Amino acid sequence: MVLTIRDVTKCYPGQTEETAVLRGVSLDLAAGSSLALTGESGSGKSTLLHLAGALDQFDSGEIEIAGTRLSGLSDSQRAALRRSDVSLVFQQFNLIPSLDTGKNIALHARLAGTWDEGWGIRLTDRLGLSGLLERYPEQLSGGQQQRVAIARALAVRPRLLLADEPTGNLDEAASAAVMELMLDLVRESGTALFLVTHSAAIAQLLDRRLHLHHGMAK
Ligand code: ADP
Ligand code: MG
């Protein structure tokens, strides 16, 4: 399993056990498979995704990323695990404005020391970005920027790709096209995808679906 979540609970300050955001959530995600997380606004989707990415601490239960238990890791150990195994794509594209497309795509993989030119070329080809490598983010459309963000996330060949409403800023047609590409590339690279979406249509494209309600998932 790339991701295992067991009975995880999470309260933010001011919340009680009864009003906790997550009240015992469990799930598994294998390499090359995809899971959609749905639920109303405020139901804890982003919170769970952050926990799955070792970006925040949970109160009880356990999370394992690629066999490593997160409880008990130091901040620097969690950071190292994130760098080596996890990539994130958010609704905001978070591209670096002063870097062109090519440099944005390679950025995280270069920092992790895993940049692979051949894989980078394949990603840019498949995502239709080959002709845009020298453009800066402000010279790209929303859909193009989102494809750059996806290429950057996949360039590191993460074991786990976490995506929080990645097509939330795109219209329906652009959103469907970006999703199809992302799913193809995820399957091709054996990456496990955990994706938050409010769209039932997008959730249907993934292997499995989980619905978050009152702090529980089913
Ligand atoms: P979703 O992504 O499903 O909309 P979130 O995980 O963002 O939900 O938020 C779940 C609940 O936790 C909301 O009630 C939100 O207000 C609260 N929350 C989220 N982040 C924080 C935080 N850093 N501090 C306090 N409360 C938070
Ligand atoms: Mg959210």
Side-chain angles (χ1 to χ4, degrees), residues 3-6 22 24-29 34-40 43-45 48-49 52 193-200 202-204 206-213 215-218:
L3 175 67
T4 308
I5 299 182
R6 282 283 159 269
L22 303 176
V25 173
S26 299
L27 63 91
D28 282 320
L29 191 55
S34 58
L35 176 64
L37 181 65
T38 57
E40 307 167 7
S43 61
K45 303 181 297 297
L48 183 58
L49 202 78
L193 172 66
F194 188 24
L195 175 132
V196 168
T197 181
H198 60 260
S199 155
I202 288 177
Q204 281 304 323
L206 277 67
D207 297 338
R208 287 184 296 146
R209 282 147 292 284
L210 202 64
H211 188 75
L212 207 51
H213 185 63
M216 321 270 253
K218 56 173 186 292

Side-chain angles (χ1 to χ4, degrees), residues 151-217:
R152 178 179 61 181
L154 286 169
V156 304
R157 289 183 178 276
R159 290 212 233 204
L160 178 60
L161 177 62
L162 302 171
D164 198 346
E165 308 262 10
T167 58
N169 278 328
L170 307 180
D171 63 46
E172 218 167 287
S175 160
V178 166
M179 275 307 305
E180 302 272 350
L181 273 167
M182 186 155 98
L183 286 167
D184 274 357
L185 288 164
V186 158
R187 284 189 200 106
E188 215 173 282
S189 53
T191 293
L193 172 66
F194 188 24
L195 175 132
V196 168
T197 181
H198 60 260
S199 155
I202 288 177
Q204 281 304 323
L205 298 173
L206 277 67
D207 297 338
R208 287 184 296 146
R209 282 147 292 284
L210 202 64
H211 188 75
L212 207 51
H213 185 63
H214 289 313
M216 321 270 253

